[in-house]
Amino acid sequence: MRAAIVTEFGTSPRYGEFPDPRPSGSLQAVDVVASALKNLDRGLVSGKHYGSASLPLPFVPGVDGVARLDDGRLVYTQALPPHGLMAERTLVDPARVVAVPTGVDPVTAAALPNSGLSAWFSLEYAANVRPGDSVLVLGATGVTGSVAVQLAKHRFGAGRVIAVGRNIERLDWLRTHGADDVITLGPDDLGERVRAAHASHPFDAVLDYLWGPPAEQVLGAIANNGLHGGYHATRFVQIGSMAGPDITLPAGVLRSAGITLAGVGIGSVPAEAQARVSTELLPALFAMVADGTLTVNTATVSLRDVEQLWTAAEPSGTRTVLVP
């Protein structure tokens, strides 16, 4: 079969021939319909992700996607290495799939789970967002940040959602999809604008998809500058690091205010949350897409172009989805 193939960590997958998956026990070999190209996939293939060590070379990338079972049903499924979803065929366990409902395009169904589940876990478990809370999304114009804005407002009932990002068009779009206000990243001081917003309506949660200097400025802005600053609990959730892998964090920032730091990624999600994925969370996300309360922008491309696409910049807020 034709597939994206990784033979060495740190290089882009190439399009070529890979052995067909062989059914075994309850596992079925099925046709792949779509698989999204995500930062997680790029990180695993780079060899620098903490999950890379579990992948045997050679392997097919694509941690998840949509496949068609032998009975014709479209389902979302996760990869069983070395057979990822960036291929014509893959292996699935029919007992561990989620049906793609009628009315949800399979390309959207492939693009949604990674960003949707990450945003859901961040909002419910790490940020503990409750109805009426004030939420800042740092890096909101990316795919997952955009989903987080929509979920914060339309699923978790946040009273105030502020979206921070560089792309003005995407920020304008977010104003109509859950953001009550926006802050544009640019030459102006981000910290001052966040400090003003926090002073008028303190943030209960910050979802950070950037890290690096923007995170330093936001953390400094929600800290107190004096000995008599008022207490407010703010849960700062670190999810992505598009602006840099490290920050400088003065100890006084954490001691001056009610800031708690947490991260969301593979390995930091509680078992009870993972147990809800197939029975509750993904069906709920798919239902929101079907009724129009959740939108994910996608660009459909051919799997044969995977090597060129691997290092190409995606349009802001758009998920590239590979189809065989």
Side-chain angles (χ1 to χ4, degrees):
M1 69 172 182
R2 306 293 282 178
I5 306 168
V6 178
T7 57
E8 180 182 357
F9 288 115
T11 61
S12 297
R14 61 177 179 84
Y15 183 68
E17 288 290 335
F18 195 80
D20 283 359
R22 295 184 177 182
S24 175
S26 63
L27 302 182
Q28 292 183 9
V30 299
D31 292 335
V32 175
V33 177
S35 181
L37 174 53
K38 306 168 292 296
N39 287 331
L40 174 57
D41 296 310
R42 291 186 173 98
L44 290 169
V45 171
S46 75
K48 299 178 181 179
H49 193 280
Y50 51 83
S52 300
S54 64
L55 297 173
L57 292 170
F59 68 91
V60 174
V63 298
D64 61 0
V66 172
R68 190 181 302 277
L69 298 184
D70 293 343
D71 60 10
R73 288 183 295 147
L74 287 175
V75 297
Y76 166 80
T77 185
Q78 295 183 335
L80 298 172
H83 295 288
L85 274 290
M86 294 182 185
E88 292 178 328
R89 290 175 63 76
T90 196
L91 284 176
V92 303
D93 181 349
R96 300 180 64 185
V97 300
V98 178
V100 177
T102 302
V104 177
D105 175 72
V107 168
T108 302
L112 174 62
N114 178 261
S115 56
L117 292 173
S118 173
W120 194 303
F121 292 150
S122 301
L123 288 160
E124 181 172 359
Y125 288 92
N128 194 30
V129 171
R130 295 289 183 263
D133 277 359
S134 177
V135 179
L136 179 76
V137 180
L138 182 59
T141 55
V143 175
T144 310
S146 297
V147 171
V149 168
Q150 296 174 75
L151 288 180
K153 177 61 71 172
H154 302 308
R155 183 73 190 193
F156 289 86
R160 180 172 177 254
V161 180
I162 293 185
V164 182
R166 292 191 183 280
N167 188 293
I168 296 175
E169 290 183 1
R170 285 292 295 172
L171 290 174
D172 288 341
W173 182 86
L174 286 168
R175 286 183 183 274
T176 65
H177 287 76
D180 298 289
D181 203 354
V182 303
I183 295 175
T184 305
L185 282 171
D188 296 337
D189 183 66
L190 172 63
E192 287 300 322
R193 287 173 290 166
V194 171
R195 184 173 292 108
H198 186 61
S200 67
H201 197 149
F203 293 113
D204 301 292
V206 176
L207 271 59
D208 168 41
Y209 294 93
L210 299 181
W211 207 230
E216 292 177 354
Q217 294 179 60
V218 171
L219 283 164
I222 60 179
N224 285 317
N225 292 324
L227 293 176
H228 305 290
Y231 173 82
H232 186 84
T234 302
R235 300 170 293 279
F236 190 104
V237 183
Q238 208 297 303
I239 310 156
S241 53
M242 296 300 293
D246 304 299
I247 68 168
T248 298
L249 179 60
V253 167
L254 297 182
R255 296 201 305 266
S256 72
I259 300 171
T260 57
L261 291 176
V264 168
I266 298 174
S268 66
V269 177
E272 62 266 26
Q274 298 181 39
R276 297 169 57 207
V277 166
S278 60
T279 59
E280 180 184 346
L281 305 190
L282 276 179
L285 288 167
F286 287 148
M288 291 181 70
V289 170
D291 68 19
T293 56
L294 179 60
T295 300
V296 181
N297 293 339
T298 61
T300 306
V301 296
S302 173
L303 178 61
R304 69 172 62 92
D305 297 323
V306 62
E307 187 170 0
Q308 293 74 34
L309 291 165
W310 201 259
T311 56
E314 288 182 321
S316 180
T318 299
R319 178 70 80 214
T320 297
V321 179
L322 301 169
V323 296

